[in-house]
Amino acid sequence: MNTEKYLVSEKKKLNLYDVPTSYNGKLQKEEVKEVLIPENIAKMREYHERLYAENNQSLLIVLQAMDAAGKDSLIKNIMTGVNPQGTKVVPFKKPSDGELDHDYLWRVAKELPPRGEIGIFNRSHYEDVLVSRVHNLVLHQPFPKNLVTKDIWEKRFEEINNFEDYLSNNGTTIVKFFLHVSKEEQKKRLMERIDRPEKNWKFASSDITERKYFDDYMKAYADMLVKTSTKRAPWYIVPADRKWFSRYLVSEVIVEKLREMDPQFPVLSKEELDSLDKWKKILEED
């Protein structure tokens, strides 16, 4: 698959209504679900084992989307093969009062994956240039009002880019996915949460009330994507109306990133290698 066609170009103007939310290519659902995704899961497992053993670098996966775009099910379906001991999923919801008493990157920084591990952010620091922007939340938060200027979002884009550069300079590879779901498909999935008893628990009234801001979110997302997609921390726009395809595309990109990271099992020193025969003989005689 050519994943670069889903890559967001830096600094280019973007209208998300011109970007497809569904896949209409030659791939077949059955082949993807039964062959291609399992192959990628196996590759991720192998690379993750090396990453964990090497303990030199980390991978941060960022997922952003509108409600009901499929973030939770994507994580569940494609990360099943990795070692849970070296993987952490962090969901970022509405910030607590304690979190609001810090800078907006504080709660994110303390959840970053340590060396040797994969971190998955289900929503992230980008909420503070999306939800905060659409609803102008900075006016109602403990934040100096003289800093709420017309260029506050441009400043935050710059801060985030600098933050992600800093992480890259310290051994964290970052890859970011925007699951692009249509308003029609979102409505269908929200209706399922109401109509199907086993999905009722996933329903929140805010999912409905936020729909009236759909256009505002599309504008905020478009601006954010082009301003914060960099070579070191790229954004991919993932067509999300067909979950089987979005899962496959994300798994493909993750495998590519792990391949580029090229983690290796540690190599024992000559002294340690020479001693293995001694320890083996001791065990055999035990």
Side-chain angles (χ1 to χ4, degrees):
M1 175 191 284
N2 178 17
T3 59
E4 287 192 4
K5 66 182 290 189
Y6 302 98
L7 191 62
V8 177
S9 300
E10 297 178 56
K11 307 299 185 283
K12 288 188 177 179
K13 195 171 182 180
L14 175 65
N15 183 342
L16 283 172
Y17 287 111
D18 294 334
V19 181
T21 59
S22 187
Y23 171 77
N24 296 300
K26 295 180 180 180
L27 288 172
Q28 297 298 312
K29 180 178 180 179
E30 292 73 18
E31 180 189 12
V32 168
K33 291 182 68 174
E34 296 175 13
V35 180
L36 299 181
I37 291 179
E39 286 179 352
N40 280 346
I41 290 173
K43 292 174 185 176
M44 281 190 279
R45 182 187 303 115
E46 179 184 347
Y47 279 119
H48 185 232
E49 186 177 358
R50 292 190 212 167
L51 182 73
Y52 187 74
E54 180 190 67
N55 199 42
N56 280 340
Q57 50 188 333
S58 59
L59 174 64
L60 175 61
I61 300 166
V62 174
L63 297 174
Q64 285 287 157
M66 296 293 288
D67 296 317
K71 298 188 305 302
D72 293 347
S73 62
L74 183 146
I75 294 169
K76 178 182 177 181
N77 277 270
I78 71 170
M79 303 306 294
T80 55
V82 296
N83 181 0
Q85 191 173 356
T87 310
K88 184 178 181 181
V89 180
V90 184
F92 288 98
K93 299 182 180 180
K94 181 179 178 180
S96 67
D97 290 341
E99 289 171 335
L100 288 173
D101 281 338
H102 294 269
D103 64 273
Y104 68 94
L105 291 174
W106 178 81
R107 67 173 183 158
V108 171
K110 63 191 183 75
E111 299 291 356
L112 290 168
R115 302 189 194 284
E117 297 192 13
I118 295 176
I120 304 164
F121 283 179
N122 187 342
R123 301 189 188 278
S124 66
H125 43 300
Y126 285 98
E127 293 292 284
D128 289 283
V129 291
L130 293 168
V131 179
S132 294
R133 184 175 188 176
V134 169
H135 294 288
N136 212 10
L137 296 181
V138 288
L139 291 176
H140 310 288
Q141 295 172 346
F143 186 78
K145 299 306 178 280
N146 64 303
L147 297 181
V148 185
T149 58
K150 62 180 181 181
D151 61 348
I152 184 174
W153 309 117
E154 295 298 321
K155 287 181 178 178
R156 288 197 173 185
F157 294 148
E158 182 180 1
E159 290 162 356
I160 288 172
N161 287 339
N162 290 337
F163 173 66
E164 292 177 347
D165 274 348
Y166 167 77
L167 296 180
S168 178
N169 288 337
N170 283 273
T172 298
T173 295
I174 304 167
V175 61
K176 303 174 295 193
F177 300 99
F178 168 55
L179 304 190
H180 189 26
V181 68
S182 66
K183 194 173 183 181
E184 295 74 20
E185 180 64 20
Q186 184 196 51
K187 178 180 178 179
K188 175 184 173 183
R189 294 179 187 178
L190 291 175
M191 286 293 291
E192 284 185 353
R193 293 181 180 182
I194 295 173
D195 293 337
R196 296 176 59 178
E198 72 275 18
K199 291 194 174 186
N200 287 169
W201 66 275
K202 299 182 72 174
F203 177 76
S205 59
S206 60
D207 296 343
I208 308 300
T209 57
E210 285 293 277
R211 274 176 62 81
K212 65 182 178 181
Y213 300 102
F214 199 93
D215 290 344
D216 295 325
Y217 273 109
M218 290 300 101
K219 291 176 183 176
Y221 264 109
D223 195 30
M224 177 271 287
L225 289 167
V226 297
K227 299 287 178 57
T228 61
S229 185
T230 64
K231 289 182 179 180
R232 287 183 159 190
W235 276 107
Y236 291 81
I237 299 179
V238 180
D241 282 1
R242 297 188 177 186
K243 288 185 177 181
W244 59 269
F245 179 75
S246 61
R247 294 167 185 170
Y248 175 52
L249 174 55
V250 170
S251 71
E252 275 283 292
V253 175
I254 292 174
V255 169
E256 287 180 0
K257 294 302 172 185
L258 287 167
R259 185 182 298 119
E260 291 171 9
M261 293 169 71
D262 193 27
Q264 299 294 323
F265 288 115
V267 178
L268 296 179
S269 67
K270 184 178 185 304
E271 182 180 337
E272 290 171 316
L273 285 171
D274 291 343
S275 70
L276 289 180
D277 286 339
K278 180 186 76 172
W279 298 118
K280 180 178 179 181
K281 184 177 292 187
I282 289 173
L283 279 173
E284 289 173 341
E285 294 173 353
D286 187 3

